[in-house]
Amino acid sequence: MRITDSHCHFDFSAFEADRAQHWQRAQAVGVHRLVIPGIEAAQWPTLPRLCEAQTGLYYSLGLHPWWLAKAAADWPSQLAAALVLANADKRCVAVGEIGLDKNLSLALDQQEAAFIVQLKLAIEYQLPVILHSHGTHDRILKWLRRYAVVGGVLHGFSGSLQQAEAFWALGIHIGVGGTITYPRANKTRQAIAALPVEALVLETDAPDMPLCGFQGQPNHPAQLPLVLTALAVLRQVDETSLAIQLDRNVERLFGW
């Protein structure tokens, strides 16, 4: 089986010691592509170089709300310039990771202003978006209805079927990761089981979001087959055919 990790922070220090070996470990279990989301300006010039070093690595460029408070005042022009350079690079597949987070001390209206800037850039460059949403699904949906991006993925989805369906109605895929391996995540598991399979893409968020049974350990893209297995059991479908469909989904999402 060949599967894609649609959200993996592969540039983080957890993988720095021997990144090539970490990638080989993931490939050995069938992970043939992964997307590294951009979260702050320091990454925007480095991610293209990292992805040049290994076949199968892709990236996106964006400013995550967690890093917004410390960003330079001219970050919008910096991001726009980075996207100009990335426009001809097939490895740049999205604008992200962008979004809103209710738990931040930074006011939501300031977060929303930054979010809107990046939605406009995604529309300008006809790129899908990779979304972060913590307690802000309804607010993000409001802005997505106003700014019609070409598609995207809601990373690390946790919520109800109604919320997931609202995102999918706007062409936003649902990122399925380690959350579904926790029996207590009943609402999210039920939503993922009921959604059209075409709406789903796999992710790990490694080295974050460890799977059930691996708490306290860094997550790894090589854990992605375990997410696939959990999803197949949850939806009561054949794992191989599910893997084929999920890879078609991510190819459609990122234009591969």
Side-chain angles (χ1 to χ4, degrees):
M1 290 183 293
R2 287 156 60 86
I3 51 179
T4 300
D5 190 342
S6 67
H7 197 109
C8 176
H9 296 281
F10 201 55
D11 61 324
F12 279 17
S13 60
F15 304 111
E16 191 171 358
D18 195 340
R19 192 169 281 108
Q21 188 176 55
H22 284 295
W23 182 222
Q24 288 169 9
R25 176 183 162 194
Q27 289 177 303
V29 296
V31 181
H32 70 122
R33 292 178 298 213
L34 65 77
V35 178
I36 308 170
I39 56 174
E40 61 173 329
Q43 294 173 295
W44 300 341
T46 62
L47 286 177
R49 295 197 295 268
L50 189 156
C51 292
E52 285 176 1
Q54 301 287 339
T55 301
L57 303 187
Y58 298 81
Y59 66 95
S60 63
L61 299 176
L63 181 61
H64 191 294
W66 291 2
W67 279 264
L68 178 58
K70 68 174 186 178
D74 66 342
W75 71 263
S77 61
Q78 290 184 40
L79 179 56
L83 286 168
V84 167
L85 292 175
N87 195 38
D89 187 352
K90 299 295 185 183
R91 287 178 292 264
C92 181
V93 295
V95 172
E97 177 178 356
I98 67 175
L100 306 173
D101 196 313
K102 185 181 68 174
N103 284 359
L104 287 181
S105 58
L106 189 67
L108 270 173
D109 61 347
Q110 291 179 263
Q111 295 184 46
E112 285 180 320
F115 184 50
I116 292 166
V117 166
Q118 295 180 93
L119 290 179
K120 289 179 177 178
L121 286 170
I123 293 168
E124 180 179 353
Y125 290 97
Q126 289 293 283
L127 288 169
V129 291
I130 296 175
L131 298 168
H132 169 95
S133 176
H134 192 107
T136 55
H137 287 355
D138 291 342
R139 295 183 80 134
I140 284 183
L141 284 165
K142 178 186 77 171
W143 293 115
L144 290 175
R145 291 184 181 111
R146 188 170 300 183
Y147 297 97
V149 295
V150 296
V153 55
L154 178 59
H155 145 68
F157 173 73
S158 177
S160 69
L161 175 60
Q162 184 181 19
Q163 289 171 322
E165 288 175 334
F167 279 100
W168 179 232
L170 296 173
I172 304 299
H173 293 71
I174 302 300
V176 181
T179 300
I180 67 163
T181 67
Y182 289 85
R184 67 175 183 270
N186 193 48
K187 182 171 68 172
T188 299
R189 284 165 54 86
Q190 288 179 349
I192 296 299
L195 282 169
V197 68
E198 292 81 8
L200 307 177
V201 295
L202 295 176
E203 62 172 53
T204 62
D205 197 27
D208 300 322
M209 289 183 65
L211 281 63
C212 184
F214 296 89
Q215 296 95 320
Q217 302 175 34
N219 199 2
H220 197 283
Q223 301 278 50
L224 194 64
L226 299 180
V227 179
L228 172 66
T229 298
L231 182 59
V233 171
L234 189 60
R235 294 180 66 93
Q236 298 183 330
V237 296
D238 172 71
E239 192 170 318
T240 301
S241 59
L242 179 61
I244 292 169
Q245 179 62 58
L246 293 171
D247 231 41
R248 286 176 184 159
N249 295 351
V250 82
E251 285 172 355
R252 183 179 66 248
L253 167 60
F254 292 129
W256 285 324

